[in-house]
Amino acid sequence: MTVDQNTLRRRGLGLRAHDPARSWGGYTLYTPIGGPGDVHLVDIEGNPVHTWRLPHPPGRHAQLLANGNLFYQGKDTDGPSLFPIWDVYHGGILQEIAPDGRVVREVRHPYHHHDASVLRNGNLLVLGVEPLSAADSARIRGGIPGSEAPGGVIHGDVVYELTWDGELVWRWAAIEHLDPELTPLNPHFAREHWPMANTVNELRDGGVLVGFRSASTAVAVDRADGSVRWRIGPEVLAQQHYPHELADGNVLVFDNGTYRDTTSVPYSRVVEIDPADGRTVWSYEDNPPQNFYSPYMSSAQRLPNGNTFIAEGSFGRLFEVTPGGDVVWEFVVPEFGSFGRGVGLESSRGAQNAVFRAYRYSREQIPWL
């Protein structure tokens, strides 16, 4: 027998576990990050229900809008190349796509990366970068010495509110509102991008939540003056992804944990945090904890019955846990591919089934199904 040399494929793919009595059910949407632009919807038994085959590779992920259309972040492969890892995580193409694959509307931004979301007013919140001045670059602390982008440039994160016509409505720049002394880069990260945002979404009161991986920090931004209302920092988080607000005002976040200061063993966890005092009110870890670990990407979503749907993104493992931490559903992404441009980076080599995020939806949220 020929042995498959891909470790993840050998362990088994597709539906791995299902407890119908305790799972919330529904449909799961995921986008293989190394794929050509395919977005998959599967039912609770792991059966394919619908696939969008899109012409642009993913610029991270896709999700469903309230009208059932797809919000897709595609990668503009002809866009500017700022530094090596930029070629892996930039996007540039933001689209609303009908179930039949028709592009309803589109906007592009050459410096979009990692994340974007649709505001309640219909506009877009988009993560981007702008080069810092020499004076501001000198203020950036931490990171690997000498690892700036070509020419010694450091690119700073910005958040844009754009209309679907590309009009700039609002702009927030990290360098204008975050103190670099209080937001240093983790010493393991390059200095080419500060503080490396990977999440942006709207708070219930209209504010904006931004998560910065390389600084292990999440902040709430006041839309009126750009000030930071609250921040959760590396005393709680470690290279986190997808912090977002729950209905009660708490924040749910996938805490990757690669360089967590309090342990020598890297492991991931999902934490629910009260932003008022930084207190952890709920968490999920595996037992032993190192059995659950994604060094990058990933997400967590609270479901209506109190369960939590988790994407262990680096390994394409999607699973659902009860409030008590029992796994009641598990699915391993069966599609493998290459990251393409940027493949020379250590985390981008070889065939992978990684996903940046995944989402769970009810039947009612997919009106065309």
Side-chain angles (χ1 to χ4, degrees), residues 104-157:
V104 177
R105 50 187 177 172
E106 174 184 305
V107 65
R108 298 195 178 203
H109 194 289
Y111 301 114
H112 157 246
H113 68 91
H114 276 99
D115 198 19
S117 56
V118 179
L119 292 162
R120 289 189 292 271
N121 66 9
N123 291 343
L124 299 171
L125 273 181
V126 179
L127 287 181
V129 294
E130 296 176 0
L132 300 181
S133 68
D136 282 334
S137 293
R139 299 169 57 204
I140 303 305
R141 298 290 176 259
I144 301 169
S147 60
E148 290 81 2
V153 175
I154 297 177
H155 296 270
D157 280 307

Side-chain angles (χ1 to χ4, degrees), residues 77-105:
T77 54
D78 295 323
S81 179
L82 302 180
F83 41 85
I85 200 172
W86 174 261
D87 296 337
V88 173
Y89 62 59
H90 85 280
I93 303 171
L94 307 166
Q95 297 175 316
E96 179 181 346
I97 299 174
D100 62 4
R102 176 176 51 89
V103 177
V104 177
R105 50 187 177 172

Side-chain angles (χ1 to χ4, degrees), residues 144-363:
I144 301 169
S147 60
E148 290 81 2
V153 175
I154 297 177
H155 296 270
D157 280 307
V158 291
V159 178
Y160 302 112
E161 179 181 349
L162 302 176
T163 69
W164 281 96
D165 293 324
E167 177 188 355
L168 177 63
V169 177
W170 180 79
R171 172 187 172 277
W172 182 89
I175 193 63
E176 297 171 6
H177 299 281
L178 296 180
D179 183 348
E181 292 281 353
L182 302 177
T183 319
L185 295 170
N186 182 283
H188 296 86
F189 287 94
R191 289 173 52 81
E192 58 207 0
H193 186 172
W194 173 86
M196 195 198 273
N198 60 28
T199 303
V200 65
N201 50 67
E202 187 176 23
L203 297 166
R204 290 174 303 153
D205 62 5
V208 175
L209 197 162
V210 191
F212 302 101
R213 180 193 181 209
S214 297
S216 296
T217 297
V219 301
V221 175
D222 191 301
R223 285 288 300 273
D225 60 8
S227 62
V228 173
R229 296 177 186 163
W230 54 254
R231 64 187 293 153
I232 304 169
E235 68 281 357
V236 177
L237 302 174
Q239 300 81 57
Q240 77 294 327
H241 282 73
Y242 195 39
H244 61 282
E245 188 180 39
L246 300 176
D248 61 2
N250 288 343
V251 173
L252 190 68
V253 58
F254 189 105
D255 188 39
N256 295 75
T258 303
Y259 304 118
R260 189 178 291 114
D261 288 340
T262 56
T263 179
S264 62
V265 178
Y267 64 89
S268 296
R269 59 184 188 144
V270 174
V271 289
E272 179 183 344
I273 301 166
D274 183 344
D277 57 13
R279 179 175 53 92
T280 296
V281 299
W282 178 86
S283 68
Y284 168 78
E285 300 172 5
D286 208 333
N287 186 20
Q290 65 268 21
N291 285 358
F292 168 44
Y293 175 55
S294 178
Y296 51 89
M297 303 191 286
S298 308
S299 61
Q301 173 190 351
R302 181 61 43 80
L303 300 175
N305 70 343
N307 288 356
T308 302
F309 172 63
I310 300 169
E312 188 180 0
S314 300
F315 307 110
R317 176 177 173 244
L318 316 178
F319 64 105
E320 178 186 349
V321 301
T322 66
D326 291 345
V327 174
V328 295
W329 186 87
E330 183 179 66
F331 176 90
V332 179
V333 170
E335 293 85 11
F336 284 73
S338 167
F339 273 77
R341 196 168 76 170
V343 74
L345 298 166
E346 60 183 5
S347 62
S348 301
R349 295 196 297 262
Q352 303 194 29
N353 65 342
V355 297
F356 184 68
R357 287 186 199 156
Y359 299 90
R360 179 71 65 81
Y361 297 97
S362 68
R363 173 67 178 80

